[in-house]
Amino acid sequence: MRPYNGRMFKKILVANRGEIALRVIEACREMGIRTVAVFSETDRNSLHVRLADEAYCIGPAPARQSYLNIAALMSTAEIAHAEAIHPGYGFLAEDPHFVEVCEESKVVFVGPRHETMIQSGKKLECKKAVSAAGVPIVPGSGALKTEEELLSEARKLGFPLIFKASAGGGGRGMRVVQNEPELLEKFHAVKREAEAAFGDPTVFLEKYIPVARHVEVQILADMHGHVVHWGERECSIQRRYQKLIEESSAPALTKEMREAIWAAAVKAAEVLGYQNAGTVEFLVDESNFYMIEINARIQVEHPVSEMRVGKNLIQEQIRVAAGEKLGYAQKDIKLKGHAIECRLNAEDPSKNFAPSTGRIEIKSLPGGNGVRFDSHIFSGMDVTPFYDSLLAKLVVHAEDRPMAIAKMGNALKRFQIEGIKTTAPLCYEILQHPNFISGNFNTRFLEKNLPGA
Ligand code: ADP
């Protein structure tokens, strides 16, 4: 482990639950940092509570009253003398207000500055800023207020189009429209939905790119102006705009396109004065790529990048949040082999992927050379309906893509649990599909190849 410069945190509060809370706790422990867990009443027996050095109950099961309760989190940080807070992903990870409260309370938020988060949280603003610096973006409108504006923008852009909520996220708030009657019909509904879901009714239109891949770049920046990327991730295997399988490298990109996407991501981070870890997302068609947004947090799929780079991204986040320099340059980052991640969600494929709840009984778990299983599950654990359905991330790393696919197939077979239904069988099916194996797929892979899913 790298020697620290004396300013490293002694104690970090982990404002999350599930696999990511465990991951942060373990990363801290390896660095000699003490950890403070927080939990809701229903999570009392969770692994993250057992593994942290200290744990505090912060409220009842509904997230609003516990994991999203800023007052409870800040007072816990105060009582426990935590010097920093790691937000994980989801919950408050991208809430600029929370970041600001941390900054004002002199508790270090492990993530970007609140100004950056305001900017990245507004897709429209973010697109405008990076586009001015020459990063290609999907052609689209500005904020749409009236029906006249809507029609004139739509006519300029041409159908098909996609409505997006400027403050949207998590694959929600998007609607594809094919013609003018549909456009007018959906306009007010999407505004209302955006207001209800994200507290901001701002919506805009983007040209819908029907045959596109989702390719994103992991970036990491310190406070001293150094930005590096950790290569790209291919995340086109999605169900209802939600990622299911991610991999690095992205198959079927030319060397020129790959390098141009990396450069655009670094440029976007520089323009925004980005600090800490983040992800720049792109859509890629036959010959072009367009930035769609920046996610100002650690992402679920970060392990595929870690496996190739051979560094711990959570520890890198903590180091740069403490003010350390990156200490290495782009040329020092070697991207090795191929990594794939499958998201194992508690969802029932026979019930249109509705959340599956119940008590888990573990029969067998994957493991072995090049197999990583990031999860908080244990036998006897109750899966409740209160939080997101991610149970585990199964990640493999091998010399090349065919070997990684084979390894993932074996690992998925060893994932056997009872008591709830999961997305593991669907992941297995995708992995065997000739169009997945060939690398010839896009974001509509599931609807085209496995229409029942
Ligand atoms: P969110 O912030 O909700 O995750 P994104 O903007 O990241 O939304 O988009 C999520 C997914 O939606 C993309 O990976 C892609 O599959 C699809 N998508 C988004 N914008 C477009 C577009 N302009 N054309 C086609 N598909 C799109």
Side-chain angles (χ1 to χ4, degrees):
M1 185 94 263
R2 182 188 316 277
Y4 292 107
N5 61 7
R7 281 184 292 128
M8 184 42 66
F9 311 114
K10 293 194 175 60
K11 208 190 248 189
I12 293 183
L13 183 146
V14 185
N16 215 304
R17 64 182 299 282
E19 70 85 21
I20 193 64
L22 277 184
R23 186 75 186 98
V24 178
I25 290 168
E26 281 164 357
C28 288
R29 181 160 290 172
E30 287 171 19
M31 297 169 87
I33 299 170
R34 294 179 65 79
T35 50
V36 181
V38 292
F39 61 96
S40 69
E41 282 160 12
T42 191
D43 277 344
R44 193 169 293 280
N45 296 322
S46 300
L47 269 191
H48 79 282
V49 175
R50 285 191 253 158
L51 289 187
D53 295 300
E54 294 166 50
Y56 297 83
C57 182
I58 50 164
R64 237 169 237 301
Q65 296 172 56
S66 47
Y67 297 103
L68 293 171
N69 182 343
I70 293 179
L73 287 165
M74 297 315 293
S75 47
T76 307
E78 169 88 24
I79 291 165
H81 302 292
E83 300 156 84
I85 296 185
H86 195 300
Y89 51 71
F91 295 132
L92 294 167
E94 287 176 283
D95 181 337
H97 174 62
F98 181 54
V99 183
E100 201 176 4
V101 171
C102 289
E103 285 169 1
E104 279 167 8
S105 314
K106 305 265 180 287
V107 175
V108 175
F109 177 84
V110 181
R113 294 169 300 127
H114 94 266
E115 294 89 342
T116 315
M117 215 164 265
I118 291 173
Q119 218 173 4
S120 64
K122 294 183 178 160
K123 293 183 197 228
L124 261 179
E125 255 189 50
C126 186
K127 279 177 71 177
K128 212 162 131 192
V130 301
S131 161
V135 175
I137 56 169
V138 187
S141 73
L144 297 165
K145 294 195 187 70
T146 63
E147 289 191 356
E148 292 70 50
E149 253 175 8
L150 175 73
L151 280 171
S152 90
E153 290 283 350
R155 284 175 189 152
K156 256 192 271 165
L157 292 163
F159 289 95
L161 293 164
I162 183 166
F163 271 119
K164 285 194 177 183
S166 187
R172 293 176 306 151
M174 286 181 290
R175 290 282 182 82
V176 180
V177 284
Q178 304 287 352
N179 48 46
E180 288 192 6
E182 220 184 329
L183 182 81
L184 289 165
E185 187 193 308
K186 291 191 177 155
F187 180 47
H188 297 288
V190 293
K191 277 209 295 194
R192 269 198 309 277
E193 277 170 25
E195 168 86 74
F198 313 110
D200 176 356
T202 311
V203 296
F204 63 101
L205 282 171
E206 244 174 33
K207 187 93 190 142
Y208 180 67
I209 303 170
V211 181
R213 292 164 164 265
H214 175 119
V215 175
E216 58 184 34
V217 179
Q218 177 67 55
I219 49 161
L220 178 66
D222 66 17
M223 294 178 184
H224 311 278
H226 307 115
V227 184
V228 292
H229 70 79
W230 284 24
E232 81 286 359
R233 297 187 283 258
E234 156 66 59
C235 311
S236 298
I237 304 294
Q238 306 176 349
R239 196 182 163 277
R240 308 236 162 124
Y241 305 127
Q242 309 249 15
K243 299 164 189 166
L244 190 60
I245 298 181
E246 301 98 341
E247 57 185 309
S248 181
S249 61
L253 278 187
T254 61
K255 182 171 180 285
E256 291 70 34
M257 177 87 101
R258 197 183 309 277
E259 287 175 358
I261 294 175
W262 290 345
V266 169
K267 171 67 105 195
E270 284 169 354
V271 169
L272 298 178
Y274 201 93
Q275 290 174 4
N276 217 281
T279 298
V280 189
E281 297 191 329
F282 298 90
L283 289 179
V284 180
D285 65 15
E286 283 303 311
S287 44
N288 297 299
F289 65 90
Y290 315 91
M291 199 204 86
I292 45 176
E293 66 166 340
I294 294 193
N295 288 320
R297 59 162 194 275
I298 189 84
Q299 276 186 296
V300 173
E301 60 271 25
H302 75 272
V304 292
S305 307
E306 278 183 332
M307 301 290 270
R308 292 188 73 211
V309 171
K311 289 182 191 291
N312 184 321
L313 189 56
I314 303 284
Q315 293 181 344
E316 294 301 284
Q317 282 194 294
I318 293 170
R319 277 204 316 114
V320 300
E324 282 199 18
K325 289 187 177 152
L326 275 182
Y328 50 86
Q330 191 65 55
K331 65 173 173 33
D332 303 318
I333 297 174
K334 305 275 185 275
L335 299 167
K336 292 202 185 103
H338 195 91
I340 305 179
E341 171 181 280
C342 286
R343 296 193 191 194
L344 307 179
N345 299 331
E347 290 169 7
D348 188 347
S350 70
K351 293 193 180 131
N352 198 22
F353 294 86
S356 175
T357 56
R359 179 160 293 181
I360 293 179
E361 194 187 331
I362 295 178
K363 295 295 177 187
S364 107
L365 291 181
N369 186 11
V371 177
R372 169 171 167 182
F373 186 70
D374 280 18
S375 176
H376 56 293
I377 64 168
F378 56 88
S379 262
M381 184 182 109
D382 289 318
V383 178
T384 65
F386 296 106
Y387 313 111
D388 87 30
S389 59
L390 184 73
L391 282 184
K393 307 190 306 202
L394 179 54
V395 191
V396 299
H397 185 228
E399 236 168 85
D400 57 23
R401 188 167 189 266
M403 285 168 90
I405 294 176
K407 201 181 273 284
M408 181 60 92
N410 285 337
L412 278 169
K413 278 198 192 149
R414 278 181 56 185
F415 177 72
Q416 289 172 21
I417 63 172
E418 288 179 0
I420 53 158
K421 296 275 187 287
T422 77
T423 47
L426 174 61
C427 289
Y428 190 81
E429 209 179 333
I430 294 170
L431 237 67
Q432 310 303 314
H433 199 285
N435 290 347
F436 180 81
I437 293 171
S438 70
N440 174 27
F441 55 82
N442 55 57
T443 53
R444 294 165 82 186
F445 174 89
L446 273 197
E447 66 185 88
K448 272 196 262 165
N449 297 292
L450 299 167

